Amino acid sequence: MTIPLVVGVDGSEASLDAVHWAADEAVRHGVPLHLLHAAAGDREASDVIGGASERARQGAPTVPLSSEVLHEEAASALVEKGRNAFALVLGSKGLGDLAGMLLGSVSLAVAAHADCPVVVVRGGVEHRDSRFGNIVVGVEDGEGSGTALQFAFREAHVRRCRLVAVHAWSATIGSPAPAGLSGFALQAVRRPPAQVLAEALRDPAERHPDVPVRRVVVEGPARRALLESASSADLLVVGARRRHGHIGLQLGLVNHALLHHAPCPIAVVPQI
């Protein structure tokens, strides 16, 4: 049996936007859609599920659809459901979140602990409806971006769009360097940033030769580089490293900021 794409719903407009996005995603990947409403003692669960189901059927009438109501804390229920899910899809804010919050508490908690990719649906309709034809993926030095790159290439493949791979770097402050070397020259002496990006892209690009890739190397903060690139993207993809000896993920400052400020849907993909 194909594992489903799971959407957390609570009756808010943001969660209905997430259902709409997830319905399109289920069509692209040919997977079932499962709606999950989790809340302690909620008497309006049937209305919430009913409204979400109607939105899903409008966007994807042929996708197998199921639903579930759990009377427990939402973040924990979603994380548990994510152990056997294609991905978890959430709105950027829920009904219970305080006015002025940039990101809902449930979405942040799930992104920090889920075992599967978590997509937080953000941005205006032009970003949510995939009108730009670009997917942006952040590429780190080392192995932290491997699973995120696989996810991003797969998304670009099914969407038949371009992948923009962004690697941001900064020379280490206080590190010894020959006199007169600029930050870029210093980094090039050690390991050129373009080489870091090329090595990270080699294997996934070979598996998806049909995906056009634009490579972007930026000297500066990763947060700024990714937010600028995502301004004309349908999806932003970032990796998340597991904390050694702890359950869940270490989002880090960059991912935390991106979840709050991304101008488009953002996928947090845990490192395997």
Side-chain angles (χ1 to χ4, degrees):
M1 180 178 177
T2 305
I3 60 174
L5 183 64
V6 177
V7 193
V9 297
D10 64 2
S12 66
E13 190 59 36
S15 80
L16 292 177
D17 289 340
V19 170
H20 180 85
W21 188 95
D24 289 341
E25 185 76 347
V27 171
R28 294 185 191 106
H29 291 279
V31 297
L33 193 61
H34 183 73
L35 308 178
L36 174 63
H37 176 58
D42 187 357
R43 297 179 180 178
E44 300 177 350
S46 60
D47 292 337
V48 171
I49 288 294
S53 298
E54 181 179 353
R55 181 69 68 94
R57 291 192 181 97
Q58 289 174 355
T62 62
V63 168
L65 180 65
S66 59
S67 62
E68 183 178 9
V69 175
L70 295 176
H71 296 289
E72 55 185 273
E73 196 272 328
S76 297
L78 286 161
V79 169
E80 180 62 29
K81 188 62 64 174
R83 300 186 191 282
N84 190 35
F86 183 82
L88 291 169
V89 181
L90 307 168
S92 58
K93 289 179 63 175
L95 287 176
D97 293 309
L98 298 175
M101 287 184 68
L102 296 175
L103 180 70
S105 57
V106 170
S107 297
L108 185 61
V110 173
H113 294 93
D115 291 328
C116 68
V118 175
V119 180
V120 177
V121 179
R122 300 180 51 83
V125 65
E126 68 277 10
H127 290 93
R128 301 195 308 269
D129 285 355
S130 302
R131 299 179 185 178
F132 291 97
N134 290 319
I135 290 176
V136 173
V137 59
V139 181
E140 299 179 66
D141 192 359
E143 299 179 355
S145 301
T147 311
L149 278 168
Q150 295 173 26
F151 181 95
F153 268 92
R154 183 180 64 185
E155 283 295 317
H157 169 73
V158 298
R159 294 165 181 253
R160 299 179 181 178
C161 72
R162 180 172 65 169
L163 183 65
V164 181
V166 179
H167 173 57
W169 65 276
S170 299
T172 304
I173 298 175
S175 58
L181 278 184
S182 66
F184 188 88
L186 172 60
Q187 189 70 14
V189 167
R190 295 168 181 160
R191 189 163 178 248
Q195 179 184 340
V196 172
L197 184 55
E199 290 177 355
L201 292 173
R202 183 177 297 118
D203 288 345
E206 287 179 355
R207 288 192 290 270
H208 296 282
D210 61 313
V211 174
V213 180
R214 178 188 170 208
R215 304 181 183 195
V216 178
V217 176
V218 179
E219 182 180 5
R223 172 185 178 275
R224 183 176 65 197
L226 290 169
L227 287 176
E228 288 178 356
S229 295
S231 64
S232 57
D234 303 319
L235 180 67
L236 172 61
V237 181
V238 293
R241 296 175 181 269
R242 296 194 179 281
R243 296 178 293 177
H244 296 295
H246 296 274
I247 298 174
L249 302 177
Q250 176 63 51
L251 289 177
L253 294 177
V254 173
N255 283 0
H256 193 274
L258 294 173
L259 282 164
H260 281 280
H261 298 286
C264 65
I266 173 172
V268 177
V269 184
Q271 177 184 353
I272 295 177

